[in-house]
Amino acid sequence: MEQILTLVATSTLETLLMVFFSTLFAVIIGFPLGVLLNTTNPYGISPRPGFNLILSRIIDVLRSFPFVILMIVLLPFTRLILGTAIGTAATIIPLSIAAAPFVARITETALNEVDSGVVQAARAMGSTNMQIIFKVLIPEAMPSVVSGLTLTVINLVSYSAMAGTLGGGGLGDLAIRYGYQRFRTEIMIAAVIVIIILVALIQFAGTKITNRMMSKR
């Protein structure tokens, strides 16, 4: 029992590290892209239809890749950067690239939902595009962004488990390598239970934060 607890604790920590850093990098990449998608669309504050169309298609292509295939495609790139293509650190790269397009679309959708009247009022008061983005659009859209990010983080937990099939570490690797391949059902069950608990906690935290933001508007 002590061995199982140690394995589960170590794998849980690996999963948390993968999800945290991949979420961080996905937001760093995806959030600005979402802002660009919103501001450059034909009805945005700085219309650039051609640029918007190209960026939108690139994001759609990245979104269409199944994660396992994306992870395989990125093996040479991951190996080039980190010197290895397996393990917890190596998995963060494909996880981040897989999640960034979703963050971009979530951000774009949240910004699209902002009342155009608020934007027009800010424009009438002489606000610049940058002021509208940072003082109007982003603050107004943050509850929806956080709600969408909650779903993204939950998807990343699933993806990180999927990465275990390619030696990605974490709870997925534990369930496959120690549970399935060694016929130890109790380890598989323990890994699944921890994943379920993580998803529930993430959803609870995301909902609480979203509700708190909504109450302060």
Side-chain angles (χ1 to χ4, degrees), residues 26 30 33 58-60 62-63 96-106:
L33 292 177
I58 292 172
I59 289 173
D60 286 342
L62 290 174
R63 285 179 64 194
S96 302
I97 294 175
F102 287 95
V103 174
R105 284 302 186 192
I106 286 166

Side-chain angles (χ1 to χ4, degrees), residues 65-72 91 94-96 98 158-160 162-163:
F65 268 84
F67 177 68
V68 173
I69 295 175
L70 180 64
M71 193 170 177
I72 294 171
T91 305
L95 282 173
S96 302
S158 315
Y159 287 170
S160 69
M162 222 182 299

Side-chain angles (χ1 to χ4, degrees), residues 9-216:
T10 302
S11 298
T12 301
L13 179 60
E14 291 175 351
T15 294
L16 290 174
L17 288 173
M18 283 190 287
V19 171
F20 174 79
F21 283 106
S22 57
T23 301
L24 177 63
F25 293 136
V27 170
I28 291 173
I29 298 169
F31 190 81
L33 292 177
V35 174
L36 278 174
L37 284 170
N38 170 264
T39 56
T40 60
N41 73 51
Y43 305 101
I45 61 175
S46 181
R48 299 286 191 280
F51 172 81
N52 184 272
L53 180 63
I54 294 171
L55 181 60
S56 182
R57 292 297 172 266
I58 292 172
I59 289 173
D60 286 342
V61 168
L62 290 174
R63 285 179 64 194
S64 67
F65 268 84
F67 177 68
V68 173
I69 295 175
L70 180 64
M71 193 170 177
I72 294 171
V73 169
L74 290 174
L75 285 176
F77 178 68
T78 304
R79 191 178 292 111
L80 177 65
I81 294 178
L82 299 176
T84 180
I86 60 174
T88 302
T91 305
I92 291 172
I93 292 176
L95 282 173
S96 302
I97 294 175
F102 287 95
V103 174
R105 284 302 186 192
I106 286 166
T107 304
E108 178 196 20
T109 301
L111 293 172
N112 287 342
E113 292 174 355
V114 175
D115 188 354
S116 60
V118 178
V119 177
Q120 291 170 3
R123 179 74 77 192
M125 293 174 65
S127 298
T128 64
N129 285 345
M130 295 300 290
Q131 288 173 330
I132 292 173
I133 290 170
F134 288 102
K135 293 184 178 181
V136 178
L137 288 174
I138 292 177
E140 287 291 320
M142 279 310 295
S144 295
V145 171
V146 171
S147 180
L149 283 177
T150 301
L151 298 178
T152 302
V153 175
I154 290 172
N155 282 335
L156 282 172
V157 173
S158 315
Y159 287 170
S160 69
M162 222 182 299
T165 60
L166 296 173
L171 291 166
D173 184 56
L174 175 69
I176 293 168
R177 191 150 53 96
Y178 287 91
Y180 177 74
Q181 293 180 352
R182 299 186 185 184
F183 303 102
R184 298 191 62 178
T185 307
E186 70 276 13
I187 293 181
M188 288 187 64
I189 293 174
V192 171
I193 290 173
V194 173
I195 290 173
I196 291 172
I197 293 172
L198 285 178
V199 168
L201 290 174
I202 291 166
Q203 185 63 65
F204 175 78
T207 302
K208 291 288 286 186
I209 294 171
T210 301
N211 290 341
R212 183 171 297 180
M213 285 181 169
M214 292 292 290
S215 67
K216 291 182 180 179

